[in-house]
Structure formats: structure tokens, C-alpha cells
Amino acid sequence: MDQSVSEVTNYQTNYDKIINDPIYEEIKLNKKLNEELKFSETLCNQLKNKYENLEKYCKDLQDNFNNVNNILREKQELKKKIVDLDDHNSKLVKLLVETLEEKNNIIQEKDNAIQEKDKKIQVTDNLIKEKNKELKEKDNIIQEKENLIQEKGRIIQEKDRIIQENDIIIQEKDKTIQEKSKTIQRKNKTIQAKNNEIQKIGEETETLKQKTIELENEVSKYQYALGTATDIRLLEQDINNFKKEASAIDSNNDNNQINLKKDILSLQDSLKDYTIVKGKIDINTPRIQNLLKKYESNKIITEKDQNKLLVKAVLQRHVIEQICEYAKEYFDNPDKYQKYPCGMETHLFNKTKEIVELTRNFEKRRAGIDESTKVLPIKLRQQICAALGNRGFNDMIDNKKKTFTHDFVSRYQNILNNEISYYRRINDSEKKKEIEDMAGDIIKRAVALFWFRLKVQEPVVEYIWPKSDDIIDPSYMEGKWEDDEIDNLVVDICYFPLIAQEFSNESKRQIYTKAIILQKPKPEQPPLQDDIQSAQSNKCSSVQ
């Protein structure tokens, strides 16, 4: 009996624990377990009532042992029901735990998914921030471009105004051009007249050639009759004079005096165009000042007074001097250049000098007198220099018949452009390209003139640079001055040399083109008497 009471008490305790357990509250919240909970509560209530009845009944057991068996039977039944209830509750608890674990897993998965989405949202937010930043930067760029467009619009309006003004100037220039066209037409008529004169000279040349042939026939007769008489030498001299005159007058010869002078004047014009200093051009005044000192000019130029005529003159002088240095390096060092294809000019030129010197010594050191040996050095020099003057430094032709610029010209064209850009900078890109493209042609023509074509003439023509402070002589100097000023002027700088034949012999002197100079006032302090005599005896000095 005590055991039964104890079991009932334990059951009551377990029941109270179950009722008061928080899990039980969770169970009641689960809709799926509501019916099970109701059944359990009903059963528990029944058991509770029975327990109360049993408790009353137990009190009466002491008096009524007859009913013990019944009570024990009921106890056994009650115990069985309690065991069944415990099993049922265990199943409920287990089901609840499994359900909670399943829900926890689902919740955990959802938490993980939410965290993953949070990460993606964070990344998206960062991208949005970056995009917003880029959009803001682009907005700033667009604003700057709009400001730039507005500024360019104002510039375009200003340029339109300038263009309108230029149109007016162009119209005025058109009128001037029309007037110049009329002048050119008049000059063309003059040129035509001169061409007619040249044609007449050509006819006279043919006559002279015929006379030369006749004289040569007479010389042959005299040589046959008189051997090596003095009269034959005189006749030979007459023949040479006729030949020289015919060569000078022959208008079909590219290297005759008329064509040579024309090409010299053309080179002068090209140099003027190449050394342009007007327009959108910056002049480096300190460097120009140093260049003036190099050529012994004592003129001073400043940023305010750049004296562009003087700047242009010293640049022309510098261009010629630089080209002469390039040519000197090329012709003085033939071993530096392969004979084929780009070294042919230097090798041919130096071989010619060697052969000419050999033929001169051959004529002097070998007994006998004959015309062909005597004129051989002259003819060799003239023929080879004429060929070099006509085709030297022209475009080269490779084995596939393709043409390309001579290496000497292409190399020194860039060097010359860089050299002149050191002193003046052209800010107009189109004008800059137009000017710099002239350099190659100027180099080729200048080298052909000073190294080849002057040597075609007999005697050889020389070029001479009058020095600073030399006395001005209009017979071989050209400049802008009044006749009554000459006595008070001297040379400041020469920017194109004198081209002349036998200049040191006034009786035989022949001027092709005069030296072009800028003058300056004669120094106030008179020179010493010895200096005057020295200046008169050495008015010019050759730099060839």
C-alpha cells in the first residue's frame, strides 16, 4: 500500500512537472498536437479524480481489507494506464523536439539565406555607391565639356569676326594680285624678248662652233707644216677661247652661266621662304643674339624690338653654314659611307679629285705637248661635277625599281629642321609642316651648287663671305641703302655669299650673283692707317 501511495505521489509529481514544463506550453501552441494534448489533459484529470478517490479509498483500506484485491487490481490497471501515459507523453515530447529541431534547421537555413542575401545587398549597395560616384564624376566632366563648348563657341564667334575681317583683307589682296598679274604679264613679255635674244645667242653659238671646227682644221694644217712652232700655240689659245665662249653661251647646258645664275636666285628665294619669322612664330631672342655674335654682328635685339629682318638674315646665313658643315662631314669621310647605294656621291667626288690631280701631274711630268692631255683634268672635273650637279642626291632606286629619298637628304633634313627650331618655333602645325618639308630640297640644291656646279665652270667659280665691318662695294655687294649713304656704312652681316669667277683679278673678274648683306653705320672711331690698307687689300675672304 505504501508503494502504491508512493507511485501515485510520483505520478502526481511527474504530472505537475509536465503541466508546468515550458515545453508543454510550446506543445499547446502547436496545432498538430492540440488534440493529443486535450486527450492527455482529459486522461490526467480522470487520473487525478481517481487519485483523489483512491486516496479516500486508501484511508478506508485499513478498515476494509476485504477490498484489497480490488484495490490492487485497480492499482495494476492504473499503473498500466500511467505507463501508457508516460509512453504517450514521451512520444509527444520526442515529436515536439524533432519538430523544434526541424524548425530550427529551417530557421538556420533561412538565416543563412538571409545573411547571403544581406551580403549580396551590401555588394549591390557598394556597386550603387560606386555607380553614383561615377555618375557624379561624369556629371562634372559633362559640365566641364559644356563650359568648354561655350568657350569654344565664343572663340568661334571671335574667329568668325576675324574671318570676316580677313575676307575684306583678301578682297584687297585680290585687287593687288590682279595688279601684280598685269605686272607679271608685262614681265613675261620681257622674258619672251630675252628668250628671243637667247635664241639668237644660240645661233651665234652654232656659228662659233663652226668657226672652231674650221680653226681646228687650220691648226692641223699648220701643225703638219710647222711642227711645234709658236704660232700653233697662239692658234690653240684662240681655239680654247672660242670653246670657252661657246660653252658659256650654250643655252642647252644646265650648267651654263645663265642657268647657273637662275638657280642661284631660286635657292635664295627658297631660303627666304624657309627662314620665315612672321605670323604665328616665337623667336628665341637670347639664342638669336648668340647666333649674331657667332657671325660677328654686334647688333642687339630685345623681346620688344626683335628686328625680324636681322633675325631672318642671320637664320639664312646659319642654314647655309649648317648645310656646308653637313656636306663637309659627308665628303671628307667617304670611308664612313658604303659606296652602294648612298655613298656614291662622296666616293665619286673624291675619286674625281684624285684622278684630276693625277692627270695634272701627268701633263707636267711627261714629255710632249698635245691638247687632249692638257685639257683632260678640266674635262674630267667638268663632266663628273656636271653629272653630280644634275643628279647628285636625287631619289635612290633599289633593285625592285622603287624610289626613296637619299639617306643623306633624309637624315640631315630632320637635323636642319631641329637646328632652326632651336631659334624659332612655328606654332601653326600646317605651316610648320609646309616649311619643314622644304628642308630636304634646299639641302640637295645647296650642296649641288657649292660642291658641284661651281666646279663645272672654267676657271672654277668660288663663293665668298664678306666679313663684318668690311667696306661696302656695290659692284659685288647687294643691300638696301641710298647712294649717298655708302661712305658712312659698313657690312654688318652677309647672309648669302658672293658667287664670282677670278674675283682676286679685277681685270678678269666675273660676278655671277652679288653678296647679299645688311649694313650698319661706320664706327665713329676711325681705324688705324694700317687697318685701312689691310681692309682695302682684303675686302672679302673665302670660306670654301
Side-chain angles (χ1 to χ4, degrees):
M1 181 158 176
D2 292 335
Q3 184 177 1
S4 298
V5 172
S6 176
E7 289 176 354
V8 171
T9 302
N10 291 334
Y11 174 78
Q12 179 66 36
T13 302
N14 290 334
Y15 174 80
D16 290 337
K17 287 181 180 180
I18 291 171
I19 294 300
N20 295 323
D21 195 339
I23 297 175
Y24 180 75
E25 294 297 326
E26 292 292 330
I27 294 172
K28 289 196 299 181
L29 296 175
N30 194 325
K31 290 181 180 181
K32 292 182 180 181
L33 301 176
N34 281 337
E35 293 179 357
E36 302 291 337
L37 290 172
K38 287 179 182 181
F39 174 77
S40 298
E41 287 175 354
T42 303
L43 182 61
C44 288
N45 289 330
Q46 291 176 356
L47 291 172
K48 184 177 181 181
N49 291 330
K50 287 184 177 185
Y51 173 75
E52 290 175 351
N53 293 328
L54 181 62
E55 187 177 13
K56 290 178 182 181
Y57 180 72
C58 290
K59 290 179 181 180
D60 295 333
L61 283 178
Q62 293 177 356
D63 297 328
N64 192 5
F65 286 103
N66 295 324
N67 296 323
V68 170
N69 292 327
N70 294 331
I71 292 170
L72 290 173
R73 188 171 55 252
E74 290 179 359
K75 178 183 176 184
Q76 291 294 328
E77 291 176 358
L78 180 61
K79 184 177 180 181
K80 183 178 180 181
K81 289 180 179 180
I82 289 172
V83 171
D84 293 338
L85 179 62
D86 287 338
D87 292 339
H88 183 71
N89 287 338
S90 297
K91 290 179 180 178
L92 288 175
V93 171
K94 184 177 180 181
L95 180 61
L96 178 62
V97 171
E98 289 176 353
T99 304
L100 289 174
E101 287 179 353
E102 184 178 351
K103 285 187 176 181
N104 283 333
N105 292 334
I106 293 171
I107 291 169
Q108 185 64 37
E109 290 176 357
K110 288 185 177 180
D111 286 341
N112 293 336
I114 290 168
Q115 290 177 1
E116 188 68 26
K117 287 183 179 180
D118 286 341
K119 290 180 181 178
K120 291 181 180 180
I121 291 169
Q122 184 65 35
V123 172
T124 305
D125 288 341
N126 293 334
L127 290 174
I128 291 170
K129 289 180 182 179
E130 291 178 359
K131 293 283 185 182
N132 288 335
K133 185 177 179 181
E134 290 178 359
L135 289 173
K136 188 174 181 180
E137 291 176 354
K138 287 183 179 179
D139 288 339
N140 294 333
I141 293 171
I142 290 169
Q143 185 62 38
E144 291 176 358
K145 288 186 176 180
E146 287 178 352
N147 295 336
L148 184 61
I149 289 168
Q150 293 176 357
E151 181 64 23
K152 287 188 175 180
R154 288 194 292 270
I155 293 171
I156 289 169
Q157 291 177 355
E158 180 65 20
K159 287 187 176 181
D160 287 339
R161 184 183 64 78
I162 294 171
I163 288 169
Q164 291 175 357
E165 294 176 356
N166 287 338
D167 287 339
I168 297 172
I169 295 171
I170 288 169
Q171 290 175 0
E172 295 175 354
K173 288 186 175 181
D174 285 340
K175 294 179 182 178
T176 305
I177 289 170
Q178 290 175 359
E179 294 175 357
K180 288 185 177 181
S181 296
K182 293 178 182 178
T183 304
I184 290 169
Q185 289 176 357
R186 290 195 297 269
K187 289 185 176 180
N188 284 337
K189 291 179 180 179
T190 304
I191 291 169
Q192 185 62 39
K194 289 186 176 180
N195 286 336
N196 293 335
E197 292 178 4
I198 291 170
Q199 188 174 359
K200 291 179 181 179
I201 292 172
E203 293 173 356
E204 293 176 0
T205 301
E206 292 298 326
T207 304
L208 286 172
K209 287 181 178 179
Q210 187 61 34
K211 288 183 178 179
T212 301
I213 294 171
E214 294 175 357
L215 284 171
E216 286 178 345
N217 292 333
E218 291 181 9
V219 168
S220 297
K221 293 177 182 179
Y222 277 107
Q223 284 180 332
Y224 179 76
L226 301 175
T228 58
T230 304
D231 291 341
I232 294 176
R233 290 178 178 268
L234 295 174
L235 287 171
E236 288 177 351
Q237 186 175 357
D238 291 338
I239 291 170
N240 289 334
N241 290 335
F242 274 114
K243 286 181 179 180
K244 190 182 297 184
E245 292 175 7
S247 176
I249 296 173
D250 185 6
S251 60
N252 293 322
N253 182 5
D254 290 336
N255 294 285
N256 65 31
Q257 295 180 10
I258 295 173
N259 288 334
L260 180 59
K261 183 175 181 179
K262 183 171 65 176
D263 290 344
I264 293 171
L265 296 176
S266 174
L267 178 61
Q268 291 176 358
D269 292 337
S270 296
L271 287 168
K272 290 177 185 177
D273 294 337
Y274 181 69
T275 54
I276 184 172
V277 292
K278 292 182 179 179
K280 296 181 180 180
I281 293 176
D282 295 332
I283 297 172
N284 192 311
T285 304
R287 292 173 181 173
I288 291 291
Q289 190 66 65
N290 291 333
L291 199 59
L292 288 168
K293 290 180 181 178
K294 177 181 177 181
Y295 298 120
E296 299 180 351
S297 172
N298 57 8
K299 288 283 183 68
I300 303 297
I301 62 172
T302 62
E303 292 292 341
K304 293 182 179 180
D305 181 18
Q306 291 185 330
N307 193 344
K308 291 189 176 181
L309 182 62
L310 180 61
V311 172
K312 188 179 181 70
V314 74
L315 285 178
Q316 287 186 44
R317 171 69 178 268
H318 192 54
V319 168
I320 298 173
E321 294 278 16
Q322 288 298 114
I323 293 173
C324 288
E325 287 184 14
Y326 305 154
K328 189 174 186 302
E329 193 279 334
Y330 178 78
F331 288 110
D332 286 355
N333 300 282
D335 294 337
K336 288 185 179 181
Y337 301 91
Q338 291 184 354
K339 189 178 296 184
Y340 305 102
C342 62
M344 283 192 275
E345 284 83 358
T346 181
H347 285 277
L348 186 56
F349 182 76
N350 282 281
K351 290 291 183 184
T352 301
K353 288 198 299 184
E354 182 181 352
I355 294 173
V356 167
E357 188 62 29
L358 280 172
T359 53
R360 282 177 181 166
N361 279 279
F362 179 76
E363 192 268 335
K364 292 179 181 178
R365 304 297 180 181
R366 297 296 181 267
I369 298 175
D370 65 277
E371 183 64 21
S372 60
T373 304
K374 185 176 181 180
V375 300
L376 181 59
I378 298 172
K379 287 185 176 180
L380 285 171
R381 187 195 73 228
Q382 288 179 323
Q383 292 297 320
I384 297 177
C385 286
L388 288 170
N390 292 335
R391 298 173 65 177
F393 301 107
N394 281 3
D395 288 348
M396 297 189 293
I397 304 172
D398 62 14
N399 294 332
K400 296 180 180 179
K401 304 300 181 183
K402 292 183 180 180
T403 60
F404 53 96
T405 305
H406 195 288
D407 289 354
F408 175 84
V409 175
S410 60
R411 175 190 177 192
Y412 285 108
Q413 176 178 354
N414 296 329
I415 294 174
L416 181 62
N417 284 329
N418 291 335
E419 177 68 20
I420 301 305
S421 295
Y422 181 76
Y423 300 98
R424 66 100 206 266
R425 184 177 65 219
I426 302 174
N427 297 318
D428 186 333
S429 58
E430 291 183 3
K431 190 68 175 176
K432 183 174 184 290
K433 184 178 186 306
E434 177 187 347
I435 295 301
E436 290 187 345
D437 285 346
M438 299 172 60
D441 182 63
I442 290 174
I443 290 172
K444 183 173 70 172
R445 289 160 58 196
V447 175
L449 173 66
F450 294 121
W451 257 259
F452 305 142
R453 298 189 63 185
L454 298 187
K455 294 179 174 62
V456 176
Q457 308 303 316
E458 178 58 32
V460 172
V461 177
E462 56 186 338
Y463 68 97
I464 303 166
W465 293 102
K467 291 183 178 179
S468 179
D469 294 329
D470 278 353
I471 296 172
I472 291 178
D473 189 336
S475 66
Y476 60 86
M477 295 182 188
E478 178 183 339
K480 295 181 180 179
W481 56 70
E482 299 296 334
D483 292 340
D484 57 356
E485 297 178 332
I486 292 179
D487 293 339
N488 298 319
L489 300 173
V490 293
V491 174
D492 180 26
I493 185 172
C494 174
Y495 57 95
F496 196 89
L498 165 70
I499 308 293
Q501 202 171 38
E502 296 190 277
F503 179 76
S504 58
N505 189 338
E506 293 187 10
S507 62
K508 295 183 179 180
R509 178 185 298 172
Q510 183 175 352
I511 306 296
Y512 283 73
T513 57
K514 296 180 180 180
I516 306 177
I517 68 164
L518 289 180
Q519 70 278 1
K520 64 181 179 181
K522 191 179 289 186
E524 295 182 1
Q525 182 68 29
L528 298 174
Q529 187 64 30
D530 291 340
D531 292 338
I532 295 174
Q533 293 176 355
S534 175
Q536 290 176 343
S537 60
N538 299 295
K539 289 182 179 179
C540 298
S541 60
S542 171
V543 299
Q544 188 172 5

